[in-house]
Amino acid sequence: MTDWIRLDGLKRGEDAAFLLLRLYLGGFLIWGVWDNITSAERMAEFQGFLTALNAPMPALAAPVSVWAQMLIGVLLIPGLLTRWAGLLLSLNFLVAVALIAPTQGIFPDIPRELFGPMMCVLAGLVLATHGAGAWSADARLSRRR
């Protein structure tokens, strides 16, 4: 098989791809929860959303989820404790999937409604299993040992 068909050369971009994934996802998570952190009204709104989904202990679940997402974002950007951040990301959004899916009934929009949360679950699993890549604080710290 010829080289242009095999795509083996793409492996050279692996670290850049992991960097872009971490930067975009980390930034998106921080941006997505910033209003909940800076506004009690927005946090109460999120708590109400969780209440409507029949989440257990929504008064506790709302700030835990928001602060977990903030922590994950802060860790992903430099690539620090990335495998743990990936696990936490997957767990947080797996709970979201479990809460949202039953509310959708049997409609064709279920995949559309779950796409974002499932992509976070899957991205978290990729980061948990592969790590942050060479361009990360994790890689720098492991080289110093």
Side-chain angles (χ1 to χ4, degrees):
M1 195 176 256
T2 62
D3 285 340
W4 66 273
I5 294 175
R6 291 184 43 208
L7 301 176
D8 289 346
L10 290 177
K11 181 107 172 106
R12 290 181 296 213
E14 181 177 282
D15 294 318
F18 276 109
L19 175 65
L20 290 173
L21 174 64
R22 290 189 347 260
L23 291 175
Y24 184 80
L25 185 54
F28 182 81
L29 290 170
I30 292 169
W31 172 79
V33 298
W34 187 253
D35 60 340
N36 297 97
I37 289 172
T38 59
S39 166
E41 182 178 295
R42 294 288 291 158
M43 184 67 83
E45 191 176 303
F46 183 51
Q47 180 182 335
F49 172 72
L50 292 179
T51 300
L53 292 175
N54 295 317
M57 298 182 291
L60 177 62
V64 166
S65 177
V66 164
W67 282 101
Q69 290 177 64
M70 175 59 86
L71 175 64
I72 295 162
V74 167
L75 292 173
L76 288 182
I77 289 173
L80 180 63
L81 302 173
T82 305
R83 291 181 188 270
W84 286 107
L87 283 174
L88 186 56
L89 177 67
S90 290
L91 178 63
N92 186 76
F93 281 93
L94 194 55
V95 170
V97 167
L99 289 172
I100 294 168
T103 68
Q104 298 302 304
I106 303 175
F107 295 106
D109 284 343
I110 290 174
R112 186 177 311 271
E113 295 296 323
L114 296 180
F115 182 79
M118 272 308 300
M119 288 307 293
C120 287
V121 170
L122 298 173
L125 290 174
V126 167
L127 290 167
T129 57
H130 289 274
W135 301 344
S136 67
D138 287 342
R140 183 174 287 266
L141 290 170
S142 70
R143 285 192 296 261
R144 289 186 179 175
R145 288 185 196 153

